[in-house]
Amino acid sequence: MLKIKILYIAFFLSTSLTALCQKDHIVLEDQGSFAVGGKVITAPGTFDPIAHGAFNPGNQSASGQTLHGDHAYVFYQIPVNAKKLPLIFWHGYGQFSKTWETTPDGREGFQNIFLRKKYSIYLIDQPRRGRAGRSTVSGSISAAPDDQLWFGIFRLGIGTEFYPGVQFDKKPETLDQFFRQITPDTGPIDLNANTDAVSALFDEVGDGILVTHSHSGGQGWLTALKTDHIKGIISYEPGSNFVFPEGNVPEPIHYVGGTLEAKGVPIDEFKKLTQIPIVMYYGDYIPTEPVENPGQEQWRAALQMAKRWTETVNKNGGDVTLVHLPEIGIKGNTHFPFSDLNNKQIADLMSEWLKQKGLDK
Amino acid sequence: MLKIKILYIAFFLSTSLTALCQKDHIVLEDQGSFAVGGKVITAPGTFDPIAHGAFNPGNQSASGQTLHGDHAYVFYQIPVNAKKLPLIFWHGYGQFSKTWETTPDGREGFQNIFLRKKYSIYLIDQPRRGRAGRSTVSGSISAAPDDQLWFGIFRLGIGTEFYPGVQFDKKPETLDQFFRQITPDTGPIDLNANTDAVSALFDEVGDGILVTHSHSGGQGWLTALKTDHIKGIISYEPGSNFVFPEGNVPEPIHYVGGTLEAKGVPIDEFKKLTQIPIVMYYGDYIPTEPVENPGQEQWRAALQMAKRWTETVNKNGGDVTLVHLPEIGIKGNTHFPFSDLNNKQIADLMSEWLKQKGLDK
């Protein structure tokens, strides 16, 4: 009787404590941040710390001084009992690591969702964006209002009207938070600096899985040509820089507001993209035929190019899966499926794909 | 006998599991991020999503569009069994939240150190800096090299020579990481926008403790005039904007490279700073008499003003403690004591002060 009581106590203590640290909580082995990649430039001359060592904004002598810039900034979190391959998250155009954090309506984003699924996570700010603001090239930043342009291009709706059934919370404070996720470039966008820095990150971290969004989608293909440590790519709505074999580059796709051109690389380079599993997801409100709304048109072009690209990579022995969410019955997603109201369902789709490809060990 | 065995098992299970989640690991109740404060500006005219909805960098119509900017960005982490008052960390000039994260030589910074001490932490990027990059005023960013200027002003040494005994790791990669913590302003610095945003943060979070560094030191005093939720201030090397009662403002302090002026406010305003405990810490290599090196001179002026300020606040019934670290036998600290090689000792000093003031409940 006493024996049973005590066994019960032992059981209770162990289970409750396991629950305490495993169930509702995020338990971290480690977390931290660092800069990776980048350049150093040096001004001609000699630095005199006595003559030029006073803080004098706008009127400072650069003589003989260095500037460290064009690096990426990375914040990482390693959960206890982490899976072997980390998820390395890269934001899109005009955005930064916030993309993967708390959603605009205050729910958990992919950072917390995948930490709970025991993936290590690395959140990138690409060179000249967010926390990687130090640029080796001067730049200027315009404060010309453009929220409604992005409202349209990010497919929340048109003008100021939400699309019917859109998976986005309608509270005004939610849209306010969404608009405040936009951040400018602190220098000209440099695809080479960006892909060098992210490739350097993989070389430092080792094998991992790249998760991209929009503008980082195409940059992700280019990065995979620079490092062998990318073991899989999940790409949400890649918009440009689709890479094809030279001589087999499709015609540019014209749409209302622009033209989408494909990029040619030598076949041996291209072959690298056939060596890793890749999945692309596109959301809702993307027409198949030309429409007058530029906010939708550029995604019609992107999805059409993504189909051509999928066929080409797979014809060359690759493993690309293209998922147009409405076609599998998942409706109302914007350009940000990972932070839309149904983002847990979107995360489960991604988990399922990782499992299928054996990337969840 | 059996009873003892089983009790032992119970004890072993409970202690080992407690160790698992409490000892080496950071166990989080919650973590997330949000924008707070800020403005919305609107361009005159009407936005036409069809005519102006195409992405056209540098040549976009702003007509009728809004821009959300001048907010602060905050990342927070709440440990299990957190203390009542969170620590709200604010970076200095040319810096961002990285100040409190991993040190340049890869050790844990105040973010992890105080999470382990069970404090909730909030890391701020002030308006127009880092992740709060969206500004309502246009700006330009110079890439003129200035690393060695900061090497001097941040008191690592002079020119490229480290000070003897400085608490900074000499590996080249450490200095590389340190320089990459510098980030530019994406718009003009606006003390009012900054203090409004941080005051809005306290109004949202509720009572908390403000931890400032350098340029945010003076901004911290100004913020404490705007909200009643700041229950204590820890300030590392505040450099400017010391607030005195009108009519009792000390003479400006002239130093090699500049002049440090104090700020006057109505006595009722000033009195607010006498209602909360405040501690200031200054590091090493700060002379008491004028020297020729501007990198040291501005801190001679700051420390002198801090002494005047301490006397004035305390004379008016306040509770300000001024700690010049070398005077209590702690040598070699730079302008960044919280990330120097002895940062655990610096953190323990801060913990001790929090305990003395009853802010560690």
Side-chain angles (χ1 to χ4, degrees):
Chain A
M1 190 50 201
L2 170 67
K3 179 177 164 184
I4 292 165
K5 268 216 195 85
I6 299 173
L7 273 172
Y8 174 78
I9 294 166
F11 174 78
F12 173 78
L13 279 170
S14 59
T15 47
S16 57
L17 279 160
T18 314
L20 166 71
C21 54
Q22 302 297 351
K23 211 166 175 189
D24 308 328
H25 302 136
I26 293 172
V27 186
L28 300 176
E29 190 74 49
D30 186 22
Q31 70 175 9
S33 62
F34 56 90
V36 63
K39 295 197 206 82
V40 181
I41 58 171
T42 308
T46 312
F47 178 65
D48 177 346
I50 303 305
H52 303 139
F55 181 52
N56 190 3
N59 187 21
Q60 204 71 53
S61 164
S63 302
Q65 297 201 65
T66 62
L67 181 144
H68 290 62
D70 299 352
H71 47 272
Y73 170 94
V74 182
F75 177 68
Y76 67 89
Q77 296 183 296
I78 315 294
V80 288
N81 314 320
K83 293 176 185 284
K84 193 164 142 289
L85 296 177
L87 296 172
I88 298 185
F89 290 94
W90 192 352
H91 58 76
Y93 190 95
Q95 301 282 312
F96 61 104
S97 44
K98 171 67 174 167
T99 295
W100 313 105
E101 300 176 0
T102 307
T103 65
D105 56 331
R107 292 169 301 108
E108 291 198 323
F110 272 24
Q111 173 183 24
N112 285 12
I113 289 173
F114 281 93
L115 276 172
R116 296 184 188 283
K117 293 174 187 280
K118 296 293 180 191
Y119 285 93
S120 298
I121 60 106
Y122 289 71
L123 304 184
I124 297 170
D125 283 358
Q126 77 184 22
R128 306 176 184 178
R129 188 79 58 82
R131 288 170 287 188
R134 190 81 147 164
S135 168
T136 62
V137 178
S138 298
S140 66
I141 295 174
S142 163
D146 61 0
D147 288 340
Q148 285 64 38
L149 170 78
W150 294 114
F151 184 92
I153 291 175
F154 291 157
R155 301 202 322 281
L156 276 62
I158 178 161
T160 56
E161 292 298 314
F162 285 101
Y163 287 127
V166 67
Q167 297 272 4
F168 192 90
D169 173 71
K170 307 298 188 306
K171 287 193 297 296
E173 54 269 36
T174 298
L175 189 57
D176 181 276
Q177 286 286 320
F178 182 78
F179 283 141
R180 296 181 188 280
Q181 291 186 197
I182 298 171
T183 200
D185 293 298
T186 56
I189 288 186
D190 180 335
L191 293 192
N192 206 40
N194 295 349
T195 52
D196 278 350
V198 176
S199 156
L201 171 61
F202 273 91
D203 293 343
E204 182 155 328
V205 171
D207 293 351
I209 300 152
L210 180 61
V211 186
T212 61
H213 175 223
S214 196
H215 192 232
S216 64
Q219 295 191 86
W221 319 140
L222 299 171
T223 305
L225 306 182
K226 292 186 175 185
T227 174
D228 296 329
H229 287 297
I230 298 178
K231 297 306 175 187
I233 300 179
I234 295 127
S235 189
Y236 290 94
E237 300 213 341
S240 57
N241 293 298
F242 284 93
V243 173
F244 289 80
E246 279 169 357
N248 188 9
V249 179
E251 289 300 305
I253 300 173
H254 302 284
Y255 59 92
V256 173
T259 298
L260 177 58
E261 299 199 355
K263 212 178 170 74
V265 297
I267 183 73
D268 309 358
E269 286 295 295
F270 176 80
K271 282 279 187 187
K272 291 184 181 173
L273 295 168
T274 67
Q275 303 306 305
I276 54 172
I278 296 171
V279 63
M280 297 183 284
Y281 298 99
Y282 287 86
D284 209 340
Y285 316 109
I286 302 176
T288 50
E289 296 304 319
V291 296
E292 64 172 357
N293 173 13
Q296 293 175 283
E297 271 289 280
Q298 85 172 72
W299 302 114
R300 177 179 65 79
L303 181 53
Q304 192 179 319
M305 187 66 84
K307 284 177 179 154
R308 285 292 303 275
W309 189 72
T310 303
E311 291 159 11
T312 308
V313 178
N314 290 346
K315 216 174 283 161
N316 284 269
D319 175 15
V320 178
T321 307
L322 172 58
V323 180
H324 188 197
L325 294 168
E327 289 175 11
I328 60 168
I330 300 176
K331 313 270 192 189
N333 282 106
T334 71
H335 185 51
F336 292 66
F338 39 77
S339 59
D340 284 340
L341 290 171
N342 60 343
N343 68 335
K344 280 195 169 162
Q345 180 181 21
I346 301 299
D348 289 342
L349 272 185
M350 175 171 145
S351 299
E352 192 43 50
W353 181 84
L354 288 165
K355 187 154 180 272
Q356 282 168 20
K357 302 303 173 182
L359 299 172
D360 67 335
K361 300 285 176 275
Chain B
M1 190 51 202
L2 171 66
K3 177 177 165 183
I4 293 164
K5 269 217 196 82
I6 297 173
L7 274 172
Y8 175 77
I9 294 166
F11 175 77
F12 173 79
L13 278 171
S14 58
T15 47
S16 57
L17 279 161
T18 313
L20 165 72
C21 55
Q22 302 296 351
K23 208 164 176 192
D24 309 328
H25 302 137
I26 292 171
V27 186
L28 301 176
E29 190 74 49
D30 186 22
Q31 69 174 9
S33 62
F34 56 90
V36 63
K39 296 198 206 81
V40 181
I41 58 170
T42 308
T46 312
F47 178 65
D48 177 346
I50 303 305
H52 302 139
F55 180 52
N56 189 3
N59 188 20
Q60 203 73 53
S61 164
S63 304
Q65 298 201 66
T66 62
L67 180 144
H68 290 61
D70 299 352
H71 48 271
Y73 169 94
V74 182
F75 177 67
Y76 67 90
Q77 296 183 295
I78 315 295
V80 286
N81 313 319
K83 293 176 185 286
K84 192 165 142 288
L85 297 177
L87 296 171
I88 298 187
F89 291 93
W90 191 352
H91 57 76
Y93 190 94
Q95 302 282 311
F96 61 105
S97 44
K98 171 66 174 168
T99 295
W100 313 106
E101 300 176 0
T102 306
T103 65
D105 56 331
R107 291 169 302 107
E108 291 198 323
F110 272 25
Q111 173 183 26
N112 286 11
I113 290 172
F114 281 93
L115 276 172
R116 296 183 188 283
K117 293 175 186 281
K118 297 293 182 191
Y119 286 92
S120 298
I121 60 106
Y122 289 71
L123 304 184
I124 297 170
D125 284 357
Q126 77 184 24
R128 307 177 183 176
R129 188 80 57 83
R131 289 170 287 187
R134 189 82 147 163
S135 167
T136 62
V137 179
S138 297
S140 66
I141 296 173
S142 163
D146 60 0
D147 287 340
Q148 285 65 38
L149 171 78
W150 295 114
F151 184 92
I153 291 174
F154 291 157
R155 300 201 324 281
L156 276 62
I158 178 161
T160 55
E161 292 298 313
F162 285 100
Y163 287 128
V166 67
Q167 298 271 5
F168 191 90
D169 173 71
K170 307 298 187 307
K171 286 194 297 297
E173 53 270 35
T174 298
L175 189 56
D176 181 275
Q177 287 286 320
F178 182 79
F179 284 142
R180 296 182 188 280
Q181 289 186 197
I182 299 170
T183 200
D185 293 299
T186 56
I189 288 186
D190 180 336
L191 294 192
N192 206 40
N194 295 348
T195 52
D196 278 350
V198 175
S199 154
L201 171 62
F202 272 91
D203 293 343
E204 181 156 328
V205 171
D207 293 352
I209 300 151
L210 180 62
V211 187
T212 61
H213 176 224
S214 196
H215 192 231
S216 64
Q219 295 190 85
W221 319 140
L222 299 171
T223 305
L225 306 182
K226 293 188 175 184
T227 174
D228 296 328
H229 288 297
I230 298 177
K231 297 306 176 187
I233 300 180
I234 295 127
S235 189
Y236 290 94
E237 301 213 340
S240 56
N241 292 299
F242 285 92
V243 174
F244 289 80
E246 280 168 357
N248 189 9
V249 179
E251 288 302 304
I253 301 172
H254 302 284
Y255 59 92
V256 173
T259 298
L260 177 58
E261 301 199 354
K263 213 178 167 75
V265 297
I267 183 72
D268 313 359
E269 286 295 293
F270 175 81
K271 282 278 186 187
K272 292 185 181 172
L273 295 168
T274 67
Q275 302 307 305
I276 54 173
I278 296 172
V279 63
M280 297 183 285
Y281 298 99
Y282 287 86
D284 209 340
Y285 315 109
I286 301 175
T288 50
E289 296 304 318
V291 295
E292 64 172 359
N293 174 12
Q296 293 174 283
E297 270 289 279
Q298 84 173 71
W299 302 114
R300 177 181 64 80
L303 180 53
Q304 193 179 318
M305 187 67 83
K307 283 176 180 157
R308 286 291 304 275
W309 189 72
T310 303
E311 291 157 14
T312 307
V313 178
N314 291 345
K315 215 175 286 161
N316 283 270
D319 176 14
V320 178
T321 308
L322 173 58
V323 180
H324 187 198
L325 293 169
E327 289 174 11
I328 60 167
I330 300 176
K331 314 269 190 188
N333 281 106
T334 71
H335 185 51
F336 291 66
F338 38 77
S339 59
D340 283 340
L341 290 171
N342 61 342
N343 68 335
K344 280 195 169 163
Q345 182 181 21
I346 301 299
D348 289 340
L349 273 185
M350 175 171 145
S351 299
E352 192 42 49
W353 181 84
L354 287 165
K355 188 155 179 269
Q356 282 167 21
K357 302 304 174 182
L359 298 172
D360 67 336
K361 300 286 175 270

